[in-house]
Amino acid sequence: MPSQDELFDAVDALLEEEPQLPPPEERARLRETAGITQARLAATLKTSTQTVKNWENGRSEPKPPRLEAYQRLLKGWAAKYPAHAAPAAPAVAPQPEAPQTFTRVPTVEQDEAEPDIGVAVKAAPERPARPAAPPATSSRRPAAKKAAKPAVDPRFPHGPLAVLDGDGSAYAVGGVVLDCPATTVPELVEWTLRESGLGAPKLNRYGKDSDPLIVLTAAAAVKLGLPERLEGHEQRRSLRLPEDHPVVKQVAKAKWQLTQRGFGPWARIYRKAQGRERQCVQLAVLSWDALDERSWPGVAEMEPADIARVLGVYATRVITPRGSTAVSGLELMTALRPPTKAVRDQETGNWVSGYNAGSLGTEPMDPAPPEATPEHPVVVNSGWTGGFLNEEAYQWVRSVNTLSDEECTLPYAVGLDLNTAFLAAAARLVVGLSAPDHFVGPTFNPKIPGSWLADLSHIDLDPRLPSPFTPDGSRPTGPAWYQTHTLAYAQELGYDVHPIEAYLRRETGAYLDPWHDRLKNAYVDTLADMGVTKDLDDAAFLAAMEQHKQNDPALAAVLSAIKATVKGGVGKLRERPQGKSYKEGETWPALARPTWRPDIRAAVISKARVNMHRKLNNMVKMTGLYPLAVLSDCVVYPSPAETSPLGFLPYAASGKPQPGGFRLGPTPGLAKLEGVQSMLWAVDLMEKGLNPARHIKGGDAVLDEGE
C-alpha cells in the first residue's frame, strides 16, 4: 500500500483538498477533459484500471488514502476545466394571484410554450418554493429504451439475495449455494455484509445500492433463536417480536439497530453508514407470512432453491423485495427517482446534497383539501366541507332494463381483462411535483395536473354505458371534484367545461415514467419467458395464455408479484391510517413520506378509467356491442357465437385488430381473456344486483381492485 505522501507527490501540481467527491459522471468528464486515460490515472493512484472504472460508474468509492488523493486531483481538474453551464436561476415563490406559466420538468416531448390557466380571483397562501434545479447540459432527455441485461456487479457476485435453510445452506440466484456458519442473527448480519457477496447496484446514478436480502425458512428461523410463528396479533402489520425477546437483545448488544417497525416478518437491521458504505441487511421470515399468498402464490411452500429463483427474477427485473409488493412498488418509485443528488455549491465549490429535478423531493407535502381523506389533519383542522375527489376504478353493472331481446338470447358472456391497466395509465402521465395552489374561476387547461370543481350533471350519455365521470357509472348529480384527465375527457366528448375552482400545481413532470418503463419490461419479459410473446397472432395468444401458468409455476408467481407491485404501489400513494386506536385529525406514519401523494394516485386511476370508457365507446361505434358490467380493468360482453373474444372483437378486412377498441396482446393496456360463462348466468347476477365481472373467471373468483 503506497503512503499518502507518495500519492500526494504524484498529483501535487494539480491538487487542492476538497471535502466531497463529485458525482461519478463528473469524475469521468474531468478526466476525459484533462486527456488522461483510466489506465494512466490508475497507475498514478497505484490501483487497477477496473477500480477507476468502478469509481466513474458509481459502483464503488475510493477509500483512504486514495480517497483524499482522488479528491485533490478532481478539484484541481475542476478549477482548470469547469463545466460549461449557466448558473441555476434563483428559486421564486409561486404567486397564485397572477399565474402566468406552469413549469414542467423537461421530457422527451417538452412543450414549446407553457400553458396559461386564465385569471384567478382568489389564491391560497403562498408556500415555500422548491429549490431551483441545478443547470443541466441538455434540456432534453433521450427516449426510454428497453434496458440491456445488466452485467454482474463485481461487488455482488452472488446476486441480490439468498434463502437460508436450517442446515446453513444459503441458496442464492443462479443455483449458487453458499455456506453460512451463523448461529445468531448478529452473526448472520455480519456474514451477509462481510462474506456473502450479496447485494444489488443502484437503479439510478443518484440513488443507493439495494441492501442484501436474507430469506429465512422456518428451520433457519428456529436455528437463529426466532419463534417458528408469531401469534396473538389481530393485524398482520403489528406482528413483531417484543423488545425483551432474546434475539432483539442480541441485536442491540451487538450495536445493531432495528427500524421503527421492529423485528417482524420484514426486519431491517443496520448500523450508521461508514463513509459512503451502507451497513444494512433486510431479513424476511417465511413462516411469519413475509410472502403474502395473494401476491406470491405458492412461493412460501417451495423449496429454498426455487424460492431464490422466484425472488431473484423479481429482484433483477423489478427491485430487491423490501416488504410487501405494495411497499416494494413504492420503494421502486423512489429508487428510480431519488430525491437528491450531489451539486456544486456556487459559493464554496464543495459538493453538497441538492434537489434532483423530476423527483418528489425529501419533504412530505400537504394535499389540497379535496385530494385528502376525511380524517386527514388538513381536512379536520380546516373544517373543510367542500367535498372530495372520487377518482376510483369502475364498479358498474348495467341495468337489466336496458338489455335488448337480441342481447338476452346471445349464448355467452365473455370477460376481457386489461393487462396492468394502472401501469398503462402511468405511461407518460404528467403529475404535479410542487404544492397545490388554489384558484377560483380558472380556465380549464388539460395540460395542468390538479383537482377541479365542476358541474358535469348536464352531460347525458347512453345509459347502456357507464358514465366516465363516476366510479359506479351513474350520472353526476351536481358539482364535484375531478382530476384533470376526467375533465379533459368531457372536453374530448364535445362538452364545455367551466371549472368553479381548482387546486393546481405549478411544477409538473412525468414522475412515474421510469417506474412504468421498468415494470412494463418486467411484465412483458416474464410473460415472454412463459411462452407468451408479442409476435403471436390472437388465436395463438389466447392458446398460450390458457396454459402459461402451468408451464412454469415459479415464473407465474413472479408475474403475480409484478402485477401486485403495480396495484399496491399506486394504492400506497394514499395509504390510510391503520389500527383501532387512530383518531380523526391525527397524523399517521404514511404522511411523513414524500410519496404520500393522493393526487398522483387519483391521476393514475382517472386516466385508467377514462381509457376504459374510451375503448367501450369505440367498441359501440365499431361493433354495436354494449358491455354488461365493468369492474376495475375487467369488462364483460355478450358474445354472439364463440366462447372466446375472437367472435366479437373488431378486425379490419386485412385481419388486423382495429385500433381504438379492445385488442388482445401481452403488453400493458392490451387485453386477455378473463373467463366465459353463459349469458343466462350473467343476467341472473345482474338481476340480483351483483357484478358478473367479479365472478366471470369461475370458482367464485374475486378480482383485485387495486388496494
Side-chain angles (χ1 to χ4, degrees):
M1 173 70 70
S3 70
Q4 193 172 98
D5 289 340
E6 290 174 336
L7 292 168
F8 282 0
D9 289 340
V11 295
D12 192 64
L14 302 173
L15 304 180
E16 192 174 309
E17 188 165 356
E18 179 175 351
Q20 186 178 355
L21 290 175
E25 65 275 13
E26 175 68 2
R27 304 171 199 172
R29 184 195 72 80
L30 290 170
R31 177 186 54 74
E32 291 168 356
T33 306
I36 303 299
T37 64
Q38 290 177 328
R40 183 178 173 188
L41 177 57
T44 301
L45 295 181
K46 307 296 191 293
T47 187
S48 68
T49 303
Q50 182 61 51
T51 298
V52 173
K53 290 181 179 179
N54 290 342
W55 294 347
E56 292 186 357
N57 62 26
R59 288 183 173 177
S60 67
E61 298 293 337
K63 297 179 181 179
R66 293 185 177 88
L67 172 60
E68 291 79 1
Y70 193 36
Q71 286 171 338
R72 289 163 61 93
L73 176 59
L74 292 174
K75 186 167 185 183
W77 279 340
K80 272 192 165 188
Y81 314 111
H84 297 292
V92 179
Q95 300 178 8
E97 40 299 340
Q100 295 299 321
T101 61
F102 277 53
T103 59
R104 180 182 303 175
V105 173
T107 62
V108 178
E109 300 173 348
Q110 185 176 9
D111 295 336
E112 294 181 2
E114 299 294 351
D116 185 347
I117 70 162
V119 178
V121 296
K122 181 180 178 182
E126 290 189 3
R127 303 169 189 264
R130 182 186 298 276
T137 57
S138 171
S139 63
R140 299 169 65 89
R141 63 174 174 79
K145 295 182 180 179
K146 185 175 178 180
K149 185 176 181 180
V152 175
D153 191 302
R155 296 172 299 154
F156 312 119
H158 298 137
L161 55 89
V163 180
L164 181 63
D165 208 355
D167 62 358
S169 298
Y171 297 83
V173 299
V176 173
V177 182
L178 307 174
D179 181 25
C180 176
T183 58
T184 67
V185 169
E187 288 177 1
L188 174 61
V189 173
E190 294 280 0
W191 173 83
T192 302
L193 293 174
R194 309 280 182 262
E195 302 177 38
S196 71
L198 296 173
K202 55 195 173 187
L203 299 180
N204 181 286
R205 63 186 178 185
Y206 301 125
K208 300 174 182 176
D209 294 331
S210 288
D211 300 318
L213 167 64
I214 300 294
V215 181
L216 304 179
T217 65
V222 171
K223 178 182 177 180
L224 295 171
L226 299 168
E228 184 172 345
R229 301 212 45 99
L230 283 180
E231 306 289 352
H233 294 276
E234 295 181 5
Q235 294 191 16
R236 182 175 175 274
R237 64 181 295 117
S238 65
L239 288 171
R240 65 181 63 187
L241 291 178
E243 293 185 4
D244 60 355
H245 190 278
V247 171
V248 176
K249 290 183 176 180
Q250 284 178 357
V251 170
K253 185 176 180 180
K255 307 300 183 184
W256 291 98
Q257 299 180 60
L258 292 164
T259 59
Q260 289 186 347
R261 61 182 175 182
F263 205 123
W266 290 89
R268 294 181 72 80
I269 302 177
Y270 71 97
R271 283 180 184 151
K272 187 177 180 181
Q274 292 184 345
R276 291 178 178 239
E277 286 194 10
R278 288 168 59 83
Q279 297 189 92
C280 184
V281 174
Q282 176 79 63
L283 300 182
V285 187
L286 290 174
S287 57
W288 296 2
D289 299 325
L291 299 180
D292 191 316
E293 177 69 17
R294 294 167 297 179
S295 302
W296 302 95
V299 176
E301 306 305 319
M302 292 180 179
E303 293 297 318
D306 295 325
I307 297 173
R309 178 185 172 222
V310 171
L311 297 180
V313 172
Y314 179 89
T316 301
R317 292 182 176 174
V318 182
I319 193 172
T320 304
R322 308 181 183 192
S324 68
T325 48
V327 168
S328 296
L330 200 67
E331 291 285 339
L332 180 62
M333 295 180 194
T334 303
L336 293 168
R337 292 276 200 191
T340 61
K341 67 177 182 179
V343 297
R344 186 182 288 278
D345 187 301
Q346 298 296 325
E347 294 183 0
T348 66
N350 295 333
W351 290 91
V352 297
S353 179
Y355 169 62
N356 184 23
S359 75
L360 298 183
T362 59
E363 297 299 321
M365 184 183 299
D366 280 342
E371 297 165 349
T373 56
E375 67 271 17
H376 194 285
V378 163
V379 174
V380 175
N381 295 339
S382 67
W384 174 262
T385 58
F388 299 94
L389 275 177
N390 189 25
E391 299 288 11
E392 303 294 340
Y394 268 134
Q395 296 192 51
W396 172 79
V397 180
R398 184 173 156 193
S399 170
V400 292
N401 296 330
T402 65
L403 292 174
S404 67
D405 292 340
E406 182 182 358
E407 287 177 312
C408 290
T409 57
L410 293 174
Y412 300 109
V414 178
L416 290 175
D417 180 66
L418 295 182
N419 302 322
T420 56
F422 287 175
L423 184 61
R428 315 303 171 246
L429 176 68
V430 176
V431 300
L433 300 178
S434 54
D437 289 324
H438 186 213
F439 304 95
V440 172
T443 300
F444 178 67
N445 190 319
K447 294 183 179 180
I448 301 176
S451 303
W452 311 74
L453 180 65
D455 190 348
L456 303 181
S457 61
H458 62 286
I459 300 179
D460 187 16
L461 300 175
D462 193 318
R464 292 172 291 182
L465 290 177
S467 167
F469 311 125
T470 60
D472 63 3
S474 62
R475 181 175 174 176
T477 57
W481 288 95
Y482 299 101
Q483 202 276 333
T484 297
H485 284 87
T486 305
L487 282 193
Y489 188 58
Q491 271 193 344
E492 181 182 323
L493 293 174
Y495 298 94
D496 290 333
V497 175
H498 301 288
I500 302 166
E501 59 179 303
Y503 285 90
L504 309 176
R505 288 170 167 79
R506 295 176 177 274
E507 187 180 337
T508 66
Y511 171 71
L512 293 175
D513 264 10
W515 186 80
H516 162 270
D517 294 346
R518 186 165 177 84
L519 285 168
K520 175 186 176 181
N521 287 337
Y523 182 83
V524 172
D525 291 348
T526 304
L527 265 180
D529 288 345
M530 301 168 75
V532 185
T533 56
K534 297 178 182 179
D535 58 347
L536 298 176
D537 62 30
D538 284 0
F541 168 74
L542 291 172
M545 286 298 295
E546 193 171 347
Q547 60 180 7
H548 75 290
K549 291 184 179 179
Q550 288 73 36
N551 291 343
D552 193 329
L555 286 180
V558 174
L559 193 69
S560 172
I562 292 170
K563 292 189 287 186
T565 301
V566 172
K567 289 191 173 182
V570 172
K572 277 280 186 181
L573 291 168
R574 197 193 66 167
E575 184 177 358
R576 305 289 287 268
Q578 307 286 334
K580 296 180 179 179
S581 61
Y582 176 77
K583 296 179 181 178
E584 277 195 355
E586 295 178 346
T587 60
W588 59 94
L591 299 188
R593 299 191 314 248
T595 49
W596 196 87
R597 289 294 302 273
D599 57 300
I600 297 179
R601 173 188 176 275
V604 172
I605 297 177
S606 167
K607 186 179 174 184
R609 197 181 65 246
V610 164
N611 286 347
M612 172 67 81
H613 191 275
R614 188 180 290 112
K615 293 180 187 295
L616 298 174
N617 213 18
N618 288 337
M619 284 288 288
V620 173
K621 297 174 184 176
M622 291 186 284
T623 69
L625 285 178
Y626 291 85
L628 302 177
V630 184
L631 180 67
S632 188
D633 48 12
C634 179
V635 55
V636 177
Y637 273 103
S639 181
E642 301 184 35
T643 58
S644 86
L646 297 177
F648 64 86
L649 289 178
Y651 293 89
S654 64
K656 293 185 178 180
Q658 291 275 29
F662 293 101
R663 299 172 55 191
L664 299 176
T667 56
L670 298 187
K672 59 182 179 291
L673 178 65
E674 181 70 11
V676 181
Q677 301 289 343
S678 72
M679 185 66 178
L680 289 176
W681 170 91
V683 173
D684 182 56
L685 287 183
M686 294 166 69
E687 288 177 339
K688 295 176 181 177
L690 301 177
N691 193 323
R694 188 179 294 276
H695 307 282
I696 192 75
K697 199 170 187 176
D700 206 32
V702 177
L703 295 178
D704 180 1
E705 294 167 37
E707 290 182 82

